[in-house]
Amino acid sequence: MKVCRRETFNAAHRLHNPSLTDKQNTDLFDKCNNPNYHGHNYVLETFVDGPIDPITGYVIDLKILSDIIKDEVLEAFDHQNLNLDCPEFENLIPTAENIAVIIWNKLRLRLDAKFELEIRLWETDRNSVIYAGK
Ligand code: NI
């Protein structure tokens, strides 16, 4: 059984690889390379897969899952500039892919090993990434 919690956060970022030239960065990342940053309304879906607990009837209490996501993700990233404010991205380009890996690693540490974890991070209505540890 898989249960899902949906949360949203707003953050700014810039896609820029300092090992490339400015021209290469512009060619590669286009508008996302804007030196003055730009924002997204990220939607994070967190899927927890495990057995239904016969005592509670839940896989996991979604309030507990929500609190973990608030602690680990919203506190860290909501209304932040990912490049400037978040040490996780000091040396990591804050693409949706890399943000998803960081988020998954944070949540994995907080969840019992009996659960499988998968996340889907929507950067726009049309673009999303899915990560489950690979
Ligand atoms: Ni962007």
Side-chain angles (χ1 to χ4, degrees):
M1 171 71 71
K2 208 182 263 190
V3 298
C4 177
R5 176 77 189 180
R6 182 177 179 276
E7 298 281 352
T8 60
F9 62 95
N10 308 314
H13 74 168
R14 179 193 189 199
L15 304 186
H16 181 84
N17 185 331
S19 70
L20 302 176
T21 66
D22 285 349
K23 165 101 171 56
Q24 286 171 320
N25 271 294
T26 311
D27 290 348
L28 185 59
F29 296 120
D30 195 30
K31 286 180 179 172
C32 289
N33 186 241
N34 176 4
N36 292 328
Y37 306 92
H38 64 278
H40 292 283
N41 299 318
Y42 290 95
V43 177
L44 174 64
E45 294 173 337
T46 302
F47 299 90
V48 173
D49 192 325
I52 300 175
D53 185 319
I55 307 291
T56 62
Y58 293 149
V59 172
I60 184 172
D61 184 335
L62 287 175
K63 173 73 170 75
I64 292 171
L65 181 59
S66 165
D67 287 345
I68 292 171
I69 298 166
K70 284 191 177 111
D71 277 0
E72 298 293 335
V73 181
L74 306 193
E75 285 288 327
F77 301 147
D78 191 30
H79 287 74
Q80 300 297 309
N81 179 312
L82 298 176
N83 302 74
L84 300 181
D85 300 328
C86 303
E88 294 88 342
F89 300 104
E90 200 176 317
N91 297 303
L92 187 65
I93 303 171
T95 56
E97 288 87 336
N98 283 333
I99 299 168
V101 171
I102 295 286
I103 289 174
W104 188 91
N105 287 335
K106 285 170 176 276
L107 296 179
R108 182 68 271 181
L109 289 173
R110 296 286 303 272
L111 286 172
D112 192 289
K114 72 181 178 187
F115 296 123
E116 286 177 37
L117 171 65
E118 178 178 298
I119 64 166
R120 183 166 197 171
L121 182 66
W122 293 86
E123 192 168 70
T124 69
D125 287 346
R126 294 180 177 183
N127 296 342
S128 69
V129 299
I130 297 172
Y131 188 66
K134 65 180 179 67

